[in-house]
Amino acid sequence: MEEQNYFCEGTDKAPARSLFNALGLTAEEMKRPLVGIVSSYNEIVPGHMNIDKIVEAVKLGVAMAGGTPAVFPAIAVCDGIAMGHVGMKYSLVTRDLIADSTECMALAHHFDALVMIPNCDKNVPGLLMAAARINVPTVFVSGGPMLAGRVKGNKTSLSSMFEAVGAYTAGRIDKDEFEEFENKVCPTCGSCSGMYTANSMNCLTEVLGMGLRGNGTIPAVYSERLRLAKHAGMKVMEMYRRNIRPLDIMTHDAFMNALTVDMALGCSTNSMLHLPAIAHECGVEIDLDIANKLSSVTPNLCHLAPAGHVYMEDLNEAGGVYAVMNELNKKGLIKTGCMTVTGRTVGENIEGVKNKDTSVIRPIDDPYSETGGIAVLRGNLAKDGCVVKRSAVVPEMLVHTGPARVFDCEEDAQAAILGGKIVKGDVVVIRYEGPKGGPGMREMLNPTSAIQGMGLGADVALITDGRFSGASRGASIGHVSPEAADGGIIGIVEEGDMISIDIPNYKLELLVDDAEIDRRMKNFTPKKKELKGYLKRYAAQVSSAAKGAILNA
């Protein structure tokens, strides 16, 4: 590939060059490849407050390797701050807004290559979707995970804070203990310290081949991340010279690797929304059922918070994502021929990488379970499927039957839980929170955390057409499809109906006879909400969660 940018020659490009002059670019800079640095920096999201430092390091790396860097922004929502109010309706919907706006900026200004700098939940998949659309040489480097907090000498994280709300309400902790959680669970900048959605997606960016080693695990506050950022800037120039593009990397095999490692790591259930959406942009279609197929042969090797008591910093010290992949490859579960942004194949990247801590990454022959961390359930209550983080469910709740406690929004369910109205054995049903019905498919971290905090985690299940934060744990079953707003059977569940959950056999059933279900469905009209602005457009275009909540054209 010729080493110059699109604008450097030709009288027809002179108007653009005159505007580059206005930017203060020199003639020498104008001749070099123009590299867009997509910065997700802002001052409201802890995972993004350090990205300005990452940006400067990337710019230096690009310049050192012969490119001309130019920064433009991408938005990001903090799910923790948005949780529990109307703000959460605006979280998932930003994924497509980020993809659209980045596509617009990158193609309007004819960048030769890109470095994407995301960190939090929808920001990572949104930029991966954009990378596939734009398809110029691209490298990802995230802002990195937060260090774990410390409360009473124990490591902890944001999920502990949400659960402390329920514990305090139930009188299980006092005010001083509650305030200690508030002040200590989030001690540094970075994406929250457990295997939540942001860290799940940043780890899977490594697996897909779009990020360098350590992208998902090196803590935000480590200077090692600045070195990683410089190398990302240098590496994108190598990708440019070799003409290696996202669609050369994000192939069908790469997505199978991502789903496999997802199972081994015990990633957030949100990956079951994001991986299909990213794959769709790459021309690869992922059926939800492939998750169970891969899960049946992929052992679960990691129990990071909230499933266990280890954190991203521990995974990093144990060898990171590459160590997990190398364990899986011992049984031939990784497709090693995939190209990556390192300029080498997956097999070359992971060769010889050691598992340095078998308490964090279980050996392939001694896993937590022989099956993967995520399961897709089906049944009359979820004909198109629903998703559960199986690795975060206590054994006694893997099979459960109980009476439905039905709520048409998250707030009503939360009030009932904190008000002591939910008892052992109940199955909490929260509907009209799906992609269309929410709209925006809010995360149900508040109610799941309240259930845990009230001491009901081993006795109460929650199912919803909404979704869950990666910080949720317990028998939390989301993405129920079809959703209530789309005429799904979850919309006709009545208080006291018995619901059967059988996670080992991938079943979710409403135990009401077919004739009664038919009668209810004939009389069922889904509720409608008055909407305006972006949410109105989103609700009109969004597909089912079973298809990744992608937007229909």
Side-chain angles (χ1 to χ4, degrees):
M1 179 178 288
E2 190 176 359
E3 188 92 348
Q4 60 183 30
N5 74 50
Y6 170 79
F7 298 102
C8 72
E9 291 183 351
T11 55
D12 59 324
K13 309 297 192 311
R17 292 196 295 274
S18 71
L19 292 166
F20 287 150
N21 282 327
L23 291 173
L25 294 184
T26 65
E28 292 82 1
E29 287 175 299
M30 287 191 219
K31 289 179 181 177
R32 295 175 177 176
L34 186 61
V35 181
I37 314 297
V38 186
S39 170
S40 303
Y41 169 77
N42 64 52
E43 294 183 339
I44 190 62
V45 183
H48 292 242
M49 63 182 284
N50 66 316
I51 282 178
D52 56 338
K53 309 296 189 300
I54 306 293
V55 167
E56 291 305 312
V58 169
K59 287 172 67 178
L60 184 57
V62 168
M64 288 167 64
T68 296
V71 180
F72 66 88
I75 64 169
V77 164
C78 177
D79 282 21
I81 296 172
M83 198 72 65
H85 61 98
V86 69
M88 183 44 68
K89 295 178 185 287
Y90 285 90
S91 174
L92 179 61
V93 306
T94 65
R95 185 187 71 184
D96 297 272
L97 193 58
I98 289 163
D100 291 348
S101 59
T102 304
E103 173 193 354
C104 291
M105 285 293 291
L107 295 179
H109 300 100
H110 212 294
F111 286 102
D112 299 296
L114 296 166
V115 179
M116 306 286 199
I117 312 178
N119 212 28
C120 288
D121 298 39
K122 314 311 163 300
N123 185 239
V124 184
L127 290 180
L128 283 165
M129 291 163 67
R133 292 182 196 174
I134 301 159
N135 201 34
V136 298
T138 303
V139 175
F140 275 66
V141 57
S142 75
M146 185 183 290
L147 293 179
R150 299 288 196 282
V151 175
K152 299 187 184 305
N154 298 314
K155 287 185 178 180
T156 189
S157 60
L158 181 65
S159 54
S160 301
M161 183 69 251
F162 278 92
E163 291 179 14
V165 174
Y168 180 62
T169 302
R172 298 174 69 211
I173 61 174
D174 63 26
K175 183 179 180 182
D176 288 343
E177 292 174 295
F178 183 73
E179 290 180 351
E180 185 175 8
F181 276 100
E182 186 175 340
N183 290 321
K184 292 185 176 180
V185 295
C186 296
T188 71
C189 62
S191 48
C192 295
S193 56
M195 187 53 79
Y196 308 150
T197 306
N199 292 327
S200 295
M201 294 310 303
N202 281 320
C203 286
L204 295 181
T205 299
E206 283 190 59
V207 184
L208 283 170
M210 292 298 292
L212 299 176
R213 181 181 179 183
N215 181 56
T217 60
I218 298 170
V221 295
Y222 283 13
S223 296
E224 184 182 358
R225 184 154 290 277
L226 296 178
R227 296 196 295 273
L228 181 75
K230 291 174 186 175
H231 282 128
M234 295 181 224
K235 191 59 68 174
V236 81
M237 294 306 300
E238 181 185 331
M239 296 296 95
Y240 170 78
R241 288 167 186 136
R242 295 178 60 183
N243 196 27
I244 298 174
R245 299 170 182 247
L247 294 185
D248 300 322
I249 294 171
M250 290 192 287
T251 62
H252 180 272
D253 281 355
F255 282 101
M256 294 304 102
N257 281 343
L259 285 165
T260 297
V261 177
D262 186 323
M263 299 299 167
L265 281 172
C267 289
S268 164
T269 51
N270 282 314
S271 63
M272 293 295 102
L273 283 175
H274 300 322
L275 286 174
I278 299 161
H280 178 75
E281 297 290 350
C282 297
V284 174
E285 296 305 316
I286 294 177
D287 188 296
L288 268 186
D289 290 330
I290 192 68
N292 287 343
K293 181 179 179 181
L294 291 174
S295 180
S296 69
V297 297
T298 305
N300 177 225
L301 303 182
C302 299
H303 269 190
L304 281 85
H309 299 288
V310 294
Y311 296 82
M312 295 306 296
E313 62 201 64
D314 303 309
L315 179 60
N316 187 62
E317 294 302 316
V321 174
Y322 279 19
V324 175
M325 294 175 75
N326 200 35
E327 283 289 344
L328 294 170
N329 197 42
K330 291 175 182 177
K331 288 195 173 179
L333 297 174
I334 296 293
K335 299 179 186 300
T336 57
C338 300
M339 178 52 66
T340 73
V341 294
T342 66
R344 305 192 304 167
T345 65
V346 166
E348 291 171 323
N349 286 343
I350 67 175
E351 185 177 2
V353 177
K354 294 181 180 178
N355 178 358
K356 299 177 183 178
D357 189 340
T358 56
S359 69
V360 176
I361 304 170
R362 287 281 189 91
I364 192 75
D365 293 321
D366 183 28
Y368 282 102
S369 66
E370 293 294 339
T371 52
I374 288 177
V376 174
L377 314 183
R378 289 185 186 270
N380 64 358
L381 195 48
K383 291 182 178 179
D384 294 339
C386 58
V387 180
V388 61
K389 190 171 183 176
R390 172 168 46 191
S391 59
V393 181
V394 293
E396 53 266 45
M397 287 300 291
L398 289 170
V399 177
H400 177 76
T401 299
R405 304 299 308 280
V406 183
F407 305 94
D408 286 346
C409 67
E410 175 193 359
E411 289 84 355
D412 290 350
Q414 180 75 350
I417 296 165
L418 294 178
K421 297 179 181 178
I422 302 302
V423 299
K424 291 182 177 182
D426 284 348
V427 178
V428 176
V429 177
I430 306 178
R431 60 194 180 193
Y432 293 103
E433 292 287 7
K436 291 180 185 292
M441 206 176 182
R442 288 196 289 179
E443 291 181 343
M444 302 291 113
L445 179 56
N446 273 337
T448 59
S449 297
I451 287 170
Q452 296 292 335
M454 300 283 282
L456 296 170
D459 304 287
V460 170
L462 190 152
I463 68 172
T464 180
D465 52 11
R467 60 194 178 93
F468 297 106
S469 164
S472 289
R473 62 189 176 107
S476 304
I477 300 168
H479 308 194
V480 171
S481 302
E483 61 177 291
D486 217 18
I489 284 178
I490 191 173
I492 55 104
V493 177
E494 294 181 359
E495 189 80 6
D497 285 347
M498 298 302 288
I499 292 175
S500 171
I501 299 164
D502 187 348
I503 295 172
N505 289 303
Y506 308 111
K507 292 288 187 182
L508 180 67
E509 294 282 343
L510 175 65
L511 301 182
V512 173
D513 66 65
D514 291 344
E516 174 61 12
I517 289 175
D518 288 343
R519 184 192 68 78
R520 292 184 193 179
M521 289 299 289
K522 286 177 183 177
N523 296 311
F524 174 47
T525 301
K527 294 182 177 181
K528 300 289 184 183
K529 295 179 180 178
E530 290 294 323
L531 302 171
K532 61 182 180 180
Y534 186 52
L535 290 182
K536 183 176 183 179
R537 297 198 304 275
Y538 183 86
Q541 292 183 294
V542 70
S543 73
S544 164
K547 295 182 178 179
I550 61 174
L551 295 187
N552 297 310

